[in-house]
């Protein structure tokens, strides 16, 4: 198809042909990802956990705040998982249905993870790409801000935030939003510095493409592979982070709950012969985290630029 | 008509020495120094020189991705350096560039159609999608690509095809000047000839002016009308392309030409030629006087005194060496009447 008469004629004929669909790097990556069995299995598990969080409540007659007075005195003996009284996962220490509470906790924990990752993707990528691309003094100032925020002990700030203002899920999101994008900004900046010196960026500058457009069309799409991988690994990190806060008793407020709060409660009751209180939330926590890590690994393999 | 006049162009970079404090004075790296040339409408200027001689910096100063620090770049008589930012941006459509590494010059996340259309959508945002698609298809056909490949991605193409995509992108706005920065040095020899011939054909059809940078003299001789020889950011010699190869006057040009290998071992072994020894000196600390004197086979003590002026020794033949002389015709493949390329 390189030059020559016949090629030109072929080109003329081909002009009337339907355009061929190209395979983008994204499509290549998708194919590679779906060849990774662990990643696909993890994805299935994650979808199931998501469905559980979204529709699990419809399966049970109990709500997450209703107390089953019939069991209250005899939780260790009769509060375990059972089909008869429709407490699938048993009840917690105050006689509330654990299944409904796990459904609700899953919602909160997944939301915290996803909101944290989203903030980091949006803010961190934009921050890092702008700092890296513009460079010079802007870069110095923007990255020093990141350094400054990183050097503040965030757990201390978060605890202060939650104590001074009301303890609420909103405050928790703000706290997570404040710290989650810092690492991402550094990663995005580093990646931008290497992309910015590629010839296709120079070609765009020489053509007269404006700076915001270069960042949006040339820099960010090429960053996205790394960003996505890091974001999937950030989701479990955020869930752990929230669990830790809740474990300290500073996270979500009763009657709402999260995996961390449930695990905390279960751990407190370990000596009361009620293993289900720890087991069910912990199982969800561990399985979901594993799934996220496997997906992150799978994505990294699939999107690795060295494979290009 | 003269399209581009470059007058005393300087490009200096500030280089921070290793481990410097922020307040240390930076070292000055003179990448291009007092460059002078004219480019006529529809003509091609070849620029040759070793790696590191400032060819690419010269190109980038003209296109505006590197800031010139002195002199003038006159486009149709107006100085680009004093133009307002907006005018400069609008002006960019008149000058386009073709890059050395064909694959690296294409965004891997964009389809070929998007890549070729980008200059169009940048400078004429009101053109309809349909019109754009039509123009992209025409341009692809023109550079010898199948127009039905618009939705493919750069990694699905060979090096030669990628360079054609780069050419299509450069030409879609109908520019007046195209700067080719070693457009063929990353390609196979067989593909090189095709791309050079394609460029020549398109230049004729579209009436383009070109600045063609290469370190391969045979390619430059084939495509250019005039040739400029650079060494360490300075102009050594400038002449009509054939004249330069036939009768090189500057010792550096003579050495460059004689270093082109002859594809005949007997002749190759027998020929006498000036040999270049040593390395290119550091541009941070160039030799005094004539920068070439440290490697020049004809250097004399007073070469170190002053920078030799660019003298017009014959009409249209400029040489920056007071001791220049025509040597007996060099035995090189370039001196044969047959064209070595194409």
């Amino acid at each position: 198809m390189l030059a020559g008469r016949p090629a030109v004629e072929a080109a003329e004929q081909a002009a009337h042909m339907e355009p061929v669909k190209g395979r983008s790097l994204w499509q290549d990556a998708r194919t590679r990802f779906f060849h990774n069995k662990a990643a696909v299995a993890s994805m299935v598990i994650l979808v199931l956990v998501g469905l559980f969080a979204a529709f699990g409540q419809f399966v049970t007659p109990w709500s997450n705040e209703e107390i089953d007075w019939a069991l209250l005195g005899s939780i260790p003996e009769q509060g375990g998982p059972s089909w008869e009284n429709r407490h699938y996962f048993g009840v917690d220490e105050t006689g509330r249905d654990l299944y409904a509470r796990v459904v609700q906790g899953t919602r909160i924990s997944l939301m915290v993870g996803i909101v944290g990752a989203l903030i980091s993707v949006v803010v961190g990528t934009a921050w890092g790409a702008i700092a890296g691309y513009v460079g010079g003094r802007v870069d110095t100032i923007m990255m020093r801000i990141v350094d400054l925020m990183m050097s503040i002990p965030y757990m201390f700030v978060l605890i202060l935030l939650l104590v001074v203002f009301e303890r609420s899920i909103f405050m928790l999101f703000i706290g997570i939003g404040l710290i989650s994008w810092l690492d991402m900004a550094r990663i995005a900046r580093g990646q931008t510095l290497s992309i910015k010196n590629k010839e296709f960026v120079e070609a765009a500058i020489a053509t007269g493409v404006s700076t915001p457009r270069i960042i949006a069309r040339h820099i960010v799409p090429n960053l996205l592979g790394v960003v996505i991988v890091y974001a999937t690994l950030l989701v479990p990190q955020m869930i752990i982070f929230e669990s830790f806060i809740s474990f300290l008793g500073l996270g979500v407020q009763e009657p709402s709950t999260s995996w961390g709060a449930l695990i905390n409660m279960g751990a407190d009751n370990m000596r009361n012969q009620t293993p289900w209180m720890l087991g069910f939330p912990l199982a969800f926590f561990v399985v979901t985290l594993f799934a996220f890590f496997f997906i992150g690994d799978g994505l990294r393999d699939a999107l690795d630029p060295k494979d290009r | 008509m003269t399209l581009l006049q470059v007058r005393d162009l300087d490009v200096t970079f500030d280089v921070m020495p290793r481990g410097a404090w922020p307040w240390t004075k930076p070292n000055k790296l003179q990448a291009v120094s007092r460059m002078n040339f004219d480019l006529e409408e529809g003509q091609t200027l070849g620029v040759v020189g070793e790696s590191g001689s400032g060819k690419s910096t010269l190109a980038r100063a003209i296109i505006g991705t590197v800031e010139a620090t002195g002199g003038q770049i006159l486009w149709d008589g107006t100085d680009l350096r004093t133009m307002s930012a907006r005018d400069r941006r609008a002006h960019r459509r008149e000058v386009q560039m073709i890059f050395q590494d064909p694959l690296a010059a294409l965004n891997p996340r964009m389809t070929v159609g998007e890549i070729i259309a980008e200059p169009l959508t940048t400078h004429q945002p009101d053109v309809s999608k349909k019109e754009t698609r039509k123009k992209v298809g025409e341009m692809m056909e023109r550079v010898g690509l199948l127009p039905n490949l618009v939705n493919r991605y750069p990694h699905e193409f060979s090096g030669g095809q990628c360079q054609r995509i780069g050419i299509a992108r450069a030409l879609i706005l109908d520019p007046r000047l195209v700067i080719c920065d070693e457009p063929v040095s990353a390609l196979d020899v067989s593909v090189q000839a095709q791309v050079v011939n394609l460029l020549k054909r398109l230049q004729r059809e579209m009436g383009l002016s070109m600045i063609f940078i290469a370190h391969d003299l045979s390619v430059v001789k084939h495509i250019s009308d005039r040739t400029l020889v650079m060494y360490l950011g300075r102009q050594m010699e400038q002449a009509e392309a054939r004249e330069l190869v036939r009768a090189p006057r500057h010792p550096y040009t003579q050495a460059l030409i004689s270093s082109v290998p002859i594809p005949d071992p007997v002749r190759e072994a027998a020929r006498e030629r000036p040999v270049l020894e040593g390395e290119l000196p550091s541009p941070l600390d160039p030799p005094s006087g004539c920068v070439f004197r440290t490697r020049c086979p004809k250097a004399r003590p007073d070469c170190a005194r002053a920078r030799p002026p660019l003298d017009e020794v014959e009409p249209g033949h400029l040489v920056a060496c007071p001791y220049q002389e025509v040597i007996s015709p060099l035995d090189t493949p370039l001196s044969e009447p047959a064209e070595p390329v194409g």
Side-chain angles (χ1 to χ4, degrees):
Chain A
M1 160 183 338
L2 297 164
R5 273 288 134 225
V8 173
E9 280 160 25
E12 272 159 15
Q13 287 168 4
H16 311 292
M17 273 159 53
E18 275 298 293
V20 179
K21 195 92 185 68
R23 261 179 340 119
S24 73
L25 293 177
W26 296 120
Q27 280 162 300
D28 278 356
R30 204 181 306 151
T31 320
R32 273 200 295 273
F33 181 80
F34 283 114
H35 281 296
N36 185 334
K37 294 202 179 66
V40 173
S42 300
M43 196 118 113
V44 171
I45 288 172
L46 215 55
V47 168
L48 291 179
V49 171
L51 289 175
F52 173 76
F55 304 111
Q57 190 61 59
F58 298 123
V59 184
T60 175
W62 302 97
S63 84
N64 66 325
E65 37 191 318
E66 216 175 319
I67 292 171
D68 190 350
W69 300 100
L71 294 175
L72 205 50
S74 52
I75 287 170
E77 297 82 41
Q78 295 170 36
S82 97
W83 283 107
E84 284 93 71
N85 57 13
R86 316 275 304 264
H87 292 303
Y88 308 127
F89 291 181
V91 295
D92 73 355
E93 55 180 346
T94 48
R96 291 174 293 189
D97 182 46
L98 194 60
Y99 175 85
R101 290 185 71 69
V102 171
V103 169
Q104 210 265 321
T106 305
R107 276 185 205 159
I108 296 275
S109 285
L110 284 184
M111 199 151 78
V112 165
I114 287 164
V115 167
L118 264 185
I119 292 175
S120 90
V121 166
V122 174
V123 180
T125 309
W127 192 274
I130 291 169
Y133 184 74
V134 177
R137 194 157 297 166
V138 175
D139 179 31
T140 312
I141 293 171
M142 286 176 87
M143 291 326 283
R144 284 307 84 77
I145 291 174
V146 171
D147 291 347
L148 211 73
M149 293 193 58
M150 276 191 155
S151 64
I152 299 171
Y154 65 86
M155 201 49 92
F156 176 69
V157 174
L158 192 67
I159 290 168
L160 265 185
L161 267 179
L162 291 171
V163 171
V164 172
F165 299 97
E166 221 169 291
R167 254 176 65 193
S168 69
I169 194 77
F170 180 67
M171 235 34 247
L172 200 67
F173 281 153
I174 289 189
I176 285 174
L178 276 178
I179 58 148
S180 66
W181 62 275
L182 298 174
D183 280 319
M184 186 67 91
R186 281 189 171 173
I187 291 170
R189 172 178 174 269
Q191 202 69 15
T192 305
L193 289 183
S194 73
I195 293 170
K196 154 175 146 172
N197 291 323
K198 294 257 171 75
E199 280 184 332
F200 65 81
V201 175
E202 195 186 351
I205 298 171
T207 307
V209 182
S210 64
T211 304
R213 221 176 132 83
I214 289 178
I215 293 177
R217 297 244 301 173
H218 295 277
I219 303 283
V220 171
N222 286 291
L223 282 180
L224 234 48
V226 179
V227 167
I228 287 172
V229 170
Y230 187 67
T232 52
L233 297 176
L234 201 67
V235 173
Q237 220 173 303
M238 288 297 127
I239 294 174
I240 292 172
F241 181 65
E242 186 278 333
S243 299
F244 181 57
I245 302 279
S246 295
F247 194 83
L248 292 179
L250 283 167
V252 289
Q253 250 182 324
E254 291 289 345
S256 288
T257 188
S258 72
W259 284 342
L262 286 168
I263 292 168
N264 180 26
M265 186 270 296
D268 284 346
N269 287 294
M270 270 213 300
R271 287 193 300 169
N272 302 343
Q273 279 87 49
T274 55
W276 63 87
M277 288 189 198
L278 181 60
F280 283 105
L282 198 61
F284 270 89
F285 181 79
V286 169
V287 166
T288 309
L289 258 52
F290 260 106
F292 270 115
F293 283 131
F294 274 122
I295 288 176
D297 267 0
L299 280 175
R300 189 174 49 208
D301 291 346
L303 294 167
D304 194 338
K306 299 226 171 59
D307 266 6
R308 243 178 238 166
Chain B
M1 201 181 82
T2 311
L3 180 71
L4 181 75
Q5 291 168 291
V6 172
R7 293 285 171 267
D8 288 327
L9 183 72
D10 282 337
V11 180
T12 309
F13 296 117
D14 287 344
V15 179
M16 280 306 211
R18 218 173 238 276
W21 296 100
W23 54 84
T24 318
K25 263 203 178 152
N27 291 327
K28 299 274 180 206
L29 189 154
Q30 189 130 50
V32 174
S33 170
R34 274 186 266 157
M35 192 55 72
N36 278 291
F37 63 85
D38 288 357
L39 180 63
E40 305 291 322
E41 189 100 60
Q43 300 264 301
T44 302
L45 176 75
V47 180
V48 288
E50 283 168 275
S51 312
S53 56
K55 307 179 298 265
S56 294
T57 309
L58 174 67
R60 279 160 178 74
I62 293 167
I63 206 157
T65 52
V66 161
E67 199 68 44
T69 47
Q72 290 176 308
I73 306 168
L74 300 168
W75 179 268
D76 275 345
T78 29
D79 190 357
L80 294 183
R81 291 189 58 216
T82 53
M83 239 184 210
S84 72
R86 187 193 292 171
D87 287 354
R88 188 82 206 254
R89 185 158 283 196
H91 163 81
R92 291 216 158 130
R93 63 171 303 167
E94 310 249 16
V95 188
Q96 293 289 321
M97 190 148 169
I98 296 168
F99 292 87
Q100 177 171 13
D101 184 341
L103 188 57
L106 307 175
N107 185 341
R109 305 275 174 199
M110 280 161 81
T111 65
V112 170
E114 289 168 344
I115 290 169
I116 298 177
E118 182 161 58
L120 210 58
T121 48
T122 305
H123 288 281
Q124 299 166 358
D126 44 342
V127 173
S128 71
K129 278 215 171 111
K130 205 173 143 206
E131 180 80 358
T132 306
R133 210 165 20 224
K134 198 175 130 239
K135 276 199 168 170
V136 168
E138 283 170 7
M139 202 65 232
M140 285 179 78
E141 247 174 275
R142 216 160 173 182
V143 298
L145 288 167
L146 295 171
N148 64 339
L149 300 178
V150 279
N151 292 329
R152 294 241 172 181
Y153 288 83
H155 66 114
E156 299 175 285
F157 290 87
S158 69
Q161 288 174 310
C162 283
Q163 198 53 287
R164 285 165 196 267
I165 297 167
I167 293 170
R169 169 176 62 186
L171 298 185
I172 194 149
L173 280 174
D174 239 329
R176 292 170 69 192
L177 172 63
V178 175
I179 299 180
C180 311
D181 187 5
E182 310 212 16
V184 295
S185 39
L187 304 175
D188 280 349
V189 177
S190 59
V191 182
Q192 278 187 6
Q194 293 168 357
V195 170
V196 168
N197 289 333
L198 173 71
L199 279 171
K200 261 190 119 162
R201 198 190 81 220
L202 289 168
Q203 175 182 31
R204 207 171 43 238
E205 287 173 9
M206 302 176 73
L208 299 168
S209 305
M210 282 210 288
I211 294 181
F212 194 96
I213 298 172
H215 49 235
D216 186 346
L217 263 166
S218 53
V219 175
V220 169
K221 181 198 166 212
H222 182 63
I223 198 164
S224 53
D225 298 298
R226 285 183 72 78
T227 306
L228 189 159
V229 181
M230 279 180 82
Y231 181 81
L232 216 63
R234 275 89 168 158
Q235 196 169 167
M236 295 285 120
E237 188 165 5
Q238 193 194 99
E240 195 268 321
R242 260 157 229 288
E243 162 87 2
L244 186 93
V245 169
R246 193 178 50 79
R249 287 173 178 252
H250 196 285
Y252 179 58
T253 318
Q254 289 166 358
L256 268 188
I257 289 173
S258 73
S259 69
V260 177
I262 305 173
D264 173 352
V266 181
R267 267 173 71 207
E268 172 73 27
R271 71 169 160 164
E272 240 179 272
R273 58 191 197 183
V275 183
L276 268 190
E277 275 164 8
E279 298 276 315
L280 201 67
S282 162
L284 277 170
D285 183 24
S288 64
C290 173
V291 285
F292 184 55
R293 69 181 163 83
T294 51
R295 297 168 75 193
C296 183
K298 294 176 186 159
R300 306 179 195 194
D302 56 341
C303 285
R305 209 172 301 139
R307 180 169 169 176
L310 200 62
D311 292 326
E312 186 156 15
V313 290
E314 255 177 61
H317 195 142
L318 303 146
V319 184
C321 181
Y323 308 113
Q324 54 85 19
E325 57 182 338
V326 184
I327 55 169
S328 57
L330 292 162
D331 186 16
T332 70
L334 298 174
S335 49
E336 290 164 4
E339 301 234 313
V341 176

